[in-house]
């Protein structure tokens, strides 16, 4: 099997997010969903609308989100819409809280824990998806990138609990960690299979805290910005980001990797590769 291609631009800028997209040579068609992280109010690290706007404009997309499964300012549709206004997302394009009017299921084929995935009711309205991920650490998953956006990010509020609990929503905070990571891979596979390849993944290695954008109180970034990556393979792009962290000489990498390793974060990548919807083997193509 030919290795997946992951394109890499070292300089991080809004314009280079578009440049990375164009370097891939693939165009998203039809009604394009743009999955990004709206940011929990209080979080200082999430990537702001002015950074994301050129890429959103380039694909003519609608920002899509779903409500959270934990208390906060995004756990109801009303609160989430207020957050989208507070953070300025509604000023750059249309915003769709996909589970505002309910949810639906899509099948998980060959999943280790899940046989279905709960997504927002408006999910089928989209023909393609740009997964625009802020690569950083995560308190439960170790790291957050394309696979987390595909799974927890796309899932409805109930679906998030369903994934966290490895199929038992009541266990969302108590499930075995590896089972949770494998369930993220299960859910991610269902979204990739649904779109039949009509997806592009961009990971932005900027503001690299050990904490996620879902944290109201997060640590400041511990590493310098590293670059922008783009691929049609969500597994390869996450693996490439992890490899770049391991291969760098940034003094903050030990702290970042402690978060990844202590949560066995790479297991999400391993489980996803076992499901066969991408590959950990890739060629990194540097773009000027």
């Amino acid at each position: 099997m030919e290795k997946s291609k992951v394109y890499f631009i070292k300089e991080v800028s809004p314009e280079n997010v578009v440049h990375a997209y164009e370097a891939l040579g693939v165009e998203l068609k039809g009604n394009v969903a743009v999955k990004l992280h709206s940011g929990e109010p209080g979080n200082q690290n999430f990537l702001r609308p002015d950074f994301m706007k050129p890429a959103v404009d380039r694909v003519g997309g609608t920002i899509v989100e779903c409500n959270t499964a934990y208390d906060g300012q995004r756990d109801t549709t009303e609160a989430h819409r207020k957050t989208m206004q507070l953070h300025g997302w509604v000023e750059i394009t249309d915003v769709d809280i996909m589970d505002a009017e309910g949810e639906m299921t899509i099948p998980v084929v060959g999943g280790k824990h899940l046989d279905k995935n709960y997504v927002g009711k408006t999910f089928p309205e989209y023909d393609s998806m740009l997964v625009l991920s802020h690569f950083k650490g995560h308190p439960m998953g170790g790291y957050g990138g394309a696979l987390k956006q595909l799974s927890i990010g796309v899932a409805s509020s109930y679906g998030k609990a369903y994934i966290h609990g490895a199929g038992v929503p009541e266990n969302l905070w108590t499930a075995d960690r590896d089972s949770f990571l494998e369930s993220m891979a299960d859910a991610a596979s269902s979204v990739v299979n649904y779109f039949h390849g009509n997806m592009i993944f961009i990971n932005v290695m900027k503001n690299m805290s050990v904490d996620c954008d879902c944290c109201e109180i997060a640590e400041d970034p511990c590493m310098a910005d590293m670059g922008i990556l783009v691929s049609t393979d969500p597994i390869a792009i996450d693996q490439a980001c992890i490899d770049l962290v391991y291969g760098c000489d940034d003094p903050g990498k030990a702290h970042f990797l402690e978060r990844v390793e202590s949560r066995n974060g790479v297991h999400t990548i391993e489980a996803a590769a076992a499901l066969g919807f991408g590959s950990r083997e890739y060629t990194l193509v540097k773009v000027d």
Side-chain angles (χ1 to χ4, degrees), residues 100-117:
E101 302 298 329
E103 63 197 3
M104 58 171 286
T105 61
I106 57 176
V108 174
V109 179
K112 190 161 186 180
H113 301 279
L114 310 182
D115 61 6
K116 58 184 173 293
N117 183 23

Side-chain angles (χ1 to χ4, degrees), residues 18 24 27 36 64 97 102 117 148 162 164 169 171 174 193 231 236 271:
V18 175
L24 196 60
E27 289 289 340
L36 48 73
V64 298
I97 308 298
N117 183 23
K148 178 183 175 291
Y162 185 74
H164 271 282
N171 294 344
T174 58
N193 291 337
S231 182

Side-chain angles (χ1 to χ4, degrees), residues 9 24 28-29 34 48 77 79 106 110 128 139 194 201 256 277 281:
I9 298 178
L24 196 60
L28 294 174
K29 305 287 174 119
V34 179
R48 300 310 202 261
T77 298
I106 57 176
S128 58
Y194 180 90
F201 305 92
F256 189 90
F277 62 95
E281 300 295 321

Side-chain angles (χ1 to χ4, degrees), residues 227-247:
I228 300 165
L229 295 86
V230 61
S231 182
T232 56
D233 184 335
I235 299 171
I237 197 171
D238 277 9
Q239 183 67 62
C241 287
I242 293 290
D243 290 344
L244 284 169
V245 174
Y246 272 104

Side-chain angles (χ1 to χ4, degrees), residues 15-37:
E15 296 75 22
N16 275 347
V17 178
V18 175
H19 186 28
Y21 171 85
E22 293 177 342
L24 196 60
V26 178
E27 289 289 340
L28 294 174
K29 305 287 174 119
N31 192 15
V32 182
V34 179
K35 180 65 192 75
L36 48 73
H37 202 300

Side-chain angles (χ1 to χ4, degrees), residues 65-161:
E65 269 279 37
C66 279
N67 295 321
T68 61
Y70 54 85
D71 293 339
Q73 298 183 58
R74 297 181 299 129
D75 61 337
T76 67
T77 298
E78 181 183 8
H80 205 161
R81 283 179 173 153
K82 286 181 180 177
T83 295
M84 300 303 273
Q85 292 173 343
L86 173 70
H87 287 166
W89 295 112
V90 298
E91 296 173 14
I92 69 168
T93 191
D94 292 337
V95 172
D96 178 14
I97 308 298
M98 292 190 291
D99 60 342
E101 302 298 329
E103 63 197 3
M104 58 171 286
T105 61
I106 57 176
V108 174
V109 179
K112 190 161 186 180
H113 301 279
L114 310 182
D115 61 6
K116 58 184 173 293
N117 183 23
Y118 292 85
V119 298
K121 192 174 181 179
T122 62
F123 180 80
E125 295 178 8
Y126 300 96
D127 305 300
S128 58
M129 180 177 281
L130 173 63
V131 181
L132 194 48
S133 304
H134 174 204
F135 183 84
K136 69 284 182 192
H138 192 275
M140 292 190 69
Y143 83 95
L147 292 171
K148 178 183 175 291
Q149 283 275 52
L150 279 170
S151 55
I152 298 296
V154 171
S156 68
S157 177
Y158 178 84
K160 288 175 171 61

